Amino acid sequence: DTGVSQDPRHKITKRGQNVTFRCDPISEHNRLYWYRQTLGQGPEFLTYFQNEAQLEKSRLLSDRFSAERPKGSFSTLEIQRTEQGDSAMYLCASFGQGENTDTQYFGPGTRLTVL
Amino acid sequence: DQQVKQNSPSLSVQEGRISILNCDYTNSMFDYFLWYKKYPAEGPTFLISISSIKDKNEDGRFTVFLNKSAKHLSLHIVPSQPGDSAVYFCAASATGGGADGLTFGKGTHLIIQP
């Protein structure tokens, strides 16, 4: 399978703990995005990378959140001192050519539950 | 403020009939629009897109219409099939081609009845 992959698929943690998620984009895609989706909402943009450079950060990305893409391939999203409000699906996407158009291709997501 | 609005949380359509999903936007800077489909426990899957220089784009059973003056777009699925039952998200981009962070609506849950 050459799609976007995310690990882990599910994470349960206690409030105050740190968590880290990983995203592997489609190999030839230079742009990588992180989104967050809560129940009843659409995905909300968090940040994106062009190769290893972080080009844009949403105001939703508080100081407790940090994302990296050190070698321009996979990316990690870390949440420090998790809060119950961080419980959500975290989606990763990469941008590149499809059958008829360039678009963002999404991974399956990591579901985070903060107890 | 919700810049992309999908005002119908759910829609039920009989198999074989046309499904019409609607989306409104408020930001005049949006120039590229996309529709994604999402099954439970999966990430969104790209369906079809349209640039603001067009008013229609068609791909098989899926057609997207864009009315710039009304800031409105719609997705038509003809004929509707059971596998089309999913949540559909409308998304918008303010740079060409959807290469920046997308702004999504809240989604419409489409249910295809046999």
Side-chain angles (χ1 to χ4, degrees), chain A residues 9 31 33 35 37 40-43 45 48 56 91 95 100-108, chain B residues 2 32 34 36 38 41-44 46 49 59 89 97-102 104-107:
Chain A
R9 295 291 306 274
R31 288 203 173 193
Y33 310 77
Y35 292 82
Q37 184 177 15
Q41 303 293 319
F45 169 71
Y48 84 87
E56 188 177 348
L91 294 162
F95 180 85
N100 298 312
T101 187
D102 291 352
T103 192
Q104 293 186 27
Y105 293 88
F106 283 82
Chain B
Q2 196 81 20
Y32 194 78
L34 309 93
Y36 283 84
K38 187 178 185 303
E42 294 183 12
F46 171 74
S49 61
D59 184 2
F89 291 100
D100 61 346
L102 300 177
F104 283 83
K106 292 187 178 184

Side-chain angles (χ1 to χ4, degrees), chain A residues 10-78:
Chain A
H10 302 274
K11 178 70 177 178
I12 300 173
T13 191
K14 292 183 179 178
R15 189 179 54 178
Q17 298 295 305
N18 299 344
V19 294
T20 300
F21 310 139
R22 176 179 170 127
C23 171
D24 287 88
I26 295 171
S27 59
E28 61 269 27
H29 289 182
N30 293 328
R31 288 203 173 193
L32 184 151
Y33 310 77
W34 286 99
Y35 292 82
R36 181 181 71 183
Q37 184 177 15
T38 53
L39 197 63
Q41 303 293 319
E44 296 172 295
F45 169 71
L46 293 178
T47 187
Y48 84 87
F49 293 83
Q50 169 89 20
N51 298 313
E52 65 273 12
Q54 190 171 15
L55 294 188
E56 188 177 348
K57 289 195 272 189
S58 158
R59 66 180 187 279
L60 294 175
L61 209 68
S62 76
D63 292 345
R64 297 184 297 104
F65 287 68
S66 63
E68 293 183 345
R69 195 182 183 198
K71 297 183 180 179
S73 56
F74 73 91
S75 175
T76 58
L77 177 68
E78 181 183 16

Side-chain angles (χ1 to χ4, degrees), chain B residues 4-102:
Chain B
V4 176
K5 300 177 185 179
Q6 294 178 258
N7 291 322
S8 299
S10 66
L11 176 67
S12 184
V13 175
Q14 207 161 13
E15 182 180 355
R17 307 294 288 266
I18 182 171
S19 295
I20 300 176
L21 295 97
N22 294 304
C23 177
D24 297 291
Y25 62 96
T26 58
N27 188 341
S28 300
M29 300 300 292
F30 288 147
D31 64 0
Y32 194 78
F33 303 90
L34 309 93
W35 284 94
Y36 283 84
K37 172 181 177 180
K38 187 178 185 303
Y39 294 119
E42 294 183 12
T45 302
F46 171 74
L47 276 176
I48 192 168
S49 61
I50 188 166
S51 165
S52 60
I53 62 173
K54 294 185 174 181
D55 55 17
K56 177 183 174 181
N57 189 27
E58 195 171 353
D59 184 2
R61 295 187 298 116
F62 302 93
T63 304
V64 56
F65 296 92
L66 174 62
N67 182 334
K68 281 181 59 180
S69 60
K71 294 191 176 66
H72 177 83
L73 63 154
S74 60
L75 174 68
H76 292 211
I77 306 173
V78 183
S80 301
Q81 299 175 354
D84 296 330
S85 294
V87 178
Y88 289 77
F89 291 100
C90 171
S93 168
T95 62
D100 61 346
L102 300 177

